[in-house]
Amino acid sequence: MIHVNESAENYLETILILSKEHPVVRSVDIAEELGFKKSSVSVAMKNLREKQHITVSKEGFITLTDSGRAIAEMIYERHELLSDWLTRLGVDPKVAVEDACRIEHVISAESFEAIKRHIGMKGTKQESGK
């Protein structure tokens, strides 16, 4: 897996989420979603384009490349699973989402896969006990 910094991961994840909600994604949409200045987003998009994680059409529509999508989906999966898991453990949902957002960038693939296996096993045991 290609490693990118936390900021780039957040931008890629945001593009993925927005692309599920909107027919096209533009820098202004990302700026609005993240609460950032459009100029900051433009710099980030230039960097992601140079690293070939996104393409930008002449109309300004942003699309994830295969590498960008792979990173975005990995981060999104981590975010969803970790925030759900923390909420199930009794953590306030708002805190769970904030913590998951921090954890998703630093957790190793090995530890994340172990958590996934653990949650999967617990889910299976609970279902068979019903």
Side-chain angles (χ1 to χ4, degrees):
M1 178 61 63
I2 302 162
H3 182 72
V4 293
N5 66 33
E6 182 176 333
S7 173
E9 289 175 347
N10 278 333
Y11 278 112
L12 292 169
E13 181 184 24
T14 299
I15 294 165
L16 177 68
I17 292 165
L18 289 172
S19 70
K20 293 177 184 210
E21 300 169 355
H22 304 290
V24 295
V25 178
R26 301 163 300 150
S27 288
V28 67
D29 302 319
I30 298 165
E32 198 173 283
E33 179 72 17
L34 295 174
F36 293 166
K37 291 180 184 171
K38 190 168 181 318
S39 58
S40 300
V41 173
S42 293
V43 170
M45 293 306 103
K46 179 178 182 277
N47 291 335
L48 291 174
R49 198 172 58 246
E50 287 172 355
K51 292 186 169 96
Q52 299 182 338
H53 294 315
I54 63 167
T55 58
V56 182
S57 72
K58 63 180 184 264
E59 298 85 11
F61 303 153
I62 299 165
T63 307
L64 294 167
T65 62
D66 289 344
S67 67
R69 179 168 295 282
I71 294 164
E73 287 177 349
M74 174 196 71
I75 294 300
Y76 184 70
E77 177 191 23
R78 289 177 175 194
H79 180 85
E80 291 291 294
L81 186 135
L82 292 168
S83 53
D84 181 61
W85 183 50
L86 291 169
T87 302
R88 288 177 188 222
L89 290 173
V91 176
D92 176 89
K94 187 175 187 299
V95 174
V97 167
E98 290 169 0
D99 287 347
C101 205
R102 287 191 290 275
I103 296 167
E104 69 196 27
H105 300 287
V106 296
I107 192 169
S108 69
E110 181 181 357
S111 293
F112 181 71
E113 290 302 318
I115 290 170
K116 261 175 56 174
R117 282 193 307 276
H118 177 74
I119 292 170
M121 286 188 288
K122 287 190 90 143
T124 304
K125 286 178 188 170
Q126 288 171 343
E127 287 171 20
S128 63
K130 288 182 181 177

